Amino acid sequence: MIGRLRCLVLDCPDAWELAEFYRQLIGGEVESPESRWAVGEGSAVLRGDGGPVLAFQSVADHRPPVWGAPEQQFHLDVRVDDLDAAHEAVLAIGAEPLDGGGDAAWRVYADPAGHPFRLVRP
């Protein structure tokens, strides 16, 4: 092993806004990042009860990925118990539906900065 994963960092137009979106989606606390790796005031961190730490950094020329395009790098999976209820909840906090999913086990959305994520059943 060379190292340990510290966090996942998402580039976006507004770090604090996107951190708040994910706080509403998966819980946790939004805070300023540690000074030793922060990129300035345009950074925020979401720490939850287990799971990876999500960090957000504001970038002026952010270009969101396109779901299903070859240049898409990754997406996040969020486990939910009720897809229909979770669908309504993520729309209410600003998610954009991208794909209803070929099967009933998942649905794809974009966060307010355009990053794809899936709601998945257990």
Side-chain angles (χ1 to χ4, degrees):
M1 176 176 76
I2 295 172
R4 289 188 169 84
L5 180 65
R6 180 178 182 137
C7 65
L8 301 172
V9 182
L10 298 173
D11 291 348
C12 56
D14 185 320
W16 286 89
E17 179 182 301
L18 195 58
E20 177 58 22
F21 171 85
Y22 279 99
R23 184 196 65 76
Q24 292 180 59
L25 179 61
I26 61 173
E29 272 187 57
V30 176
E31 54 190 56
S32 296
E34 299 170 27
S35 60
R36 62 185 161 183
W37 62 272
V39 219
E41 300 211 5
S43 298
V45 170
L46 177 63
R47 297 181 194 280
D49 297 332
V53 171
L54 292 180
F56 307 89
Q57 91 185 3
S58 299
V59 294
D61 59 349
H62 171 70
R63 289 178 295 160
V66 176
W67 176 252
E71 63 273 6
Q72 177 190 325
Q73 299 294 313
F74 72 95
H75 66 271
L76 303 174
D77 278 355
V78 177
R79 181 181 161 190
V80 298
D81 292 325
D82 182 328
L83 279 174
D84 292 329
H87 170 82
E88 295 303 324
V90 297
L91 294 181
I93 63 172
E96 181 77 27
L98 296 178
D99 184 357
D103 68 42
W106 52 266
R107 296 182 189 164
V108 183
Y109 302 84
D111 68 25
H115 303 104
F117 68 94
R118 296 189 316 175
L119 297 179
V120 297
R121 291 186 327 165

